[in-house]
Amino acid sequence: MAEQYINMDNLAVGYNGKALIHDICIGIEKGEIVTLIGPNGAGKSTILKSITRQLKIISGNVKIADADLSKLSFRDLSTKMAVVLTDRMKPELMTCHDIVATGRYPYTGKLGILSREDEQKVDEAMEAVHAQELGDRDFNAISDGQRQRVLLARAICQEPEIIVLDEPTSFLDVRYKLELLSILRNMAKKKGITVIMSLHEIDLAEKVADKIICVKGDRIAHYGKPETIFKEEAIRDLYGIDNGYFDPVFGSLELPRPEGEPKTLVISSGGTGIPIYRELQRKNIPFAAGILYTNDIDYQLARLLAVRTVTEKPFEEISDETFAEAMKLVDSCEKVIDAGVTVGKTNSRIAELIEKAKNDKKLEKR
């Protein structure tokens, strides 16, 4: 087991001496990416501001490599930890290069004069986030997404052992969300920098994080690896989802299925039905799906979006009971969509369903 680099021991955080979240006991290894998720107002930012000393810790303690956080001087802390919070900076008459250069101040003398080496590190940090062209521009005159990249460059320039970020992807378009998270992943895995951040995009959190902290109520609801956290029931409970679904297979949030008797039967396999399920859902048309083996990728989405799903056990021939259920749907539905099915020995009876729909003039091939 790897040695824990950051330890939160019975930590309680909050405002004005009043604890909002209690009993935080979490260990983080060096070079791990740890992501906080949870509903708005749950306290994610409160935790981050407490471990960066933006807020006073109510009780308990935080240790970084066995050093007590509360006993570190601000200068020592600034060489260990870089912080990118959501608070909007509005510096006067500072270029983006100037902002990034402030990341070197923990290493300069009292006059804050940058050496040639410091300037080189500023340039390297801006290059790392693809912000070289922003160097001479007024920080207040660029977009929110560009500001986020400049602030990340400042954090990189600081050469920290830990980077703490509060919702770093909030103002970025898809391309730059992926780019920023890729930069953080490379820093964590290649340079051993520990990353602690909050994210709203749970699909991205699942893909980038080594560990997930679920924040809800006055306790940490769950803490562990993504594969243990991103379960349908756990995410539903965390966010109080009662108007849709979280699909752990696709890592996606799904709108509720259309209600009513199915008007369309979709026959598919191997992912061919997925775009049709989504099309029918967008049109609010109740549909049925089948016959699907429960290890088929189409089944994973059909079980959430279809009004009825006719299933069979993997690798078994279609039973009389299952076939009869599907045949009733061919009779009752107005349309049968053949999304493209590979018919073999075990599922050969699907060909009979398609032929019946064709004879009834209900078949639509995609």
Side-chain angles (χ1 to χ4, degrees), residues 258-266 280 283-289 305-308 328-337 362-364:
E259 296 297 333
E261 288 297 313
K263 297 180 179 180
T264 300
L265 171 64
V266 181
L280 293 170
K283 294 179 178 178
N284 203 36
I285 298 173
F287 67 92
L305 302 187
V307 177
R308 288 178 60 187
K328 284 182 181 179
L329 285 169
V330 172
D331 289 332
S332 64
C333 287
E334 299 171 3
K335 182 191 293 185
V336 177
I337 297 176
K362 295 182 178 182
L363 186 66
E364 177 183 318

Side-chain angles (χ1 to χ4, degrees), residues 132-354:
Q132 305 99 305
E133 77 284 358
L134 300 175
D136 294 331
R137 293 184 61 183
D138 183 344
F139 182 75
N140 290 328
I142 60 175
S143 70
D144 286 333
Q146 290 170 326
R147 288 184 195 182
Q148 201 74 332
R149 284 192 284 150
V150 170
L151 293 176
L152 179 59
R154 182 184 67 170
I156 293 171
C157 193
Q158 207 169 317
E159 295 188 305
E161 297 175 13
I162 306 161
I163 293 184
V164 179
L165 309 99
D166 193 6
E167 300 176 14
T169 58
S170 291
F171 304 111
L172 303 181
D173 61 29
V174 173
R175 174 190 171 186
Y176 290 117
K177 286 179 193 285
L178 297 175
E179 186 173 70
L180 183 143
L181 293 177
S182 295
I183 291 168
L184 292 175
R185 181 182 61 189
N186 288 338
M187 291 173 65
K189 303 313 168 190
K190 292 181 179 180
K191 297 185 178 180
I193 295 172
T194 305
V195 177
I196 305 173
M197 62 181 166
S198 62
L199 284 179
H200 274 310
E201 302 91 339
I202 59 175
D203 56 331
L204 295 178
E206 182 179 13
K207 294 172 177 66
V208 75
D210 297 300
K211 299 281 179 57
I212 300 288
I213 301 173
C214 298
V215 186
K216 184 180 182 183
D218 63 354
R219 297 287 191 280
I220 299 300
H222 302 285
Y223 174 59
K225 295 181 178 180
E227 51 267 32
T228 66
I229 298 296
F230 286 95
K231 304 291 186 182
E232 191 174 343
E233 184 176 348
I235 297 299
R236 184 176 63 242
D237 290 346
L238 177 63
Y239 289 96
I241 298 172
D242 58 7
N243 56 349
Y245 313 96
F246 171 73
D247 183 353
V249 175
F250 294 97
S252 60
L253 292 170
E254 303 293 344
L255 294 171
R257 62 171 65 91
E259 296 297 333
E261 288 297 313
K263 297 180 179 180
T264 300
L265 171 64
V266 181
I267 300 175
S268 67
S269 67
T272 61
I274 290 174
I276 298 171
Y277 300 162
R278 296 204 184 283
E279 175 189 333
L280 293 170
Q281 188 197 44
R282 286 195 299 271
K283 294 179 178 178
N284 203 36
I285 298 173
F287 67 92
I291 300 170
L292 289 170
Y293 288 98
T294 55
N295 63 343
D296 193 308
I297 192 67
D298 280 355
Y299 166 74
Q300 301 299 330
L301 190 59
R303 68 188 179 86
L304 300 179
L305 302 187
V307 177
R308 288 178 60 187
T309 306
V310 184
T311 63
E312 186 55 86
K313 294 177 182 177
F315 312 113
E316 292 193 7
E317 293 185 5
I318 294 171
S319 68
D320 291 340
E321 181 181 359
T322 298
F323 182 74
E325 183 183 356
M327 190 62 82
K328 284 182 181 179
L329 285 169
V330 172
D331 289 332
S332 64
C333 287
E334 299 171 3
K335 182 191 293 185
V336 177
I337 297 176
D338 175 7
V341 184
T342 302
V343 178
K345 183 176 181 181
T346 55
N347 70 341
S348 60
R349 300 184 81 174
I350 285 179
E352 296 180 50
L353 295 176
I354 293 173

Side-chain angles (χ1 to χ4, degrees), residues 1-19:
M1 184 176 178
E3 184 179 351
Q4 292 180 344
Y5 176 61
I6 301 172
N7 272 287
M8 304 178 206
D9 184 19
N10 290 312
L11 190 65
V13 300
Y15 294 87
N16 301 318
K18 182 179 179 181

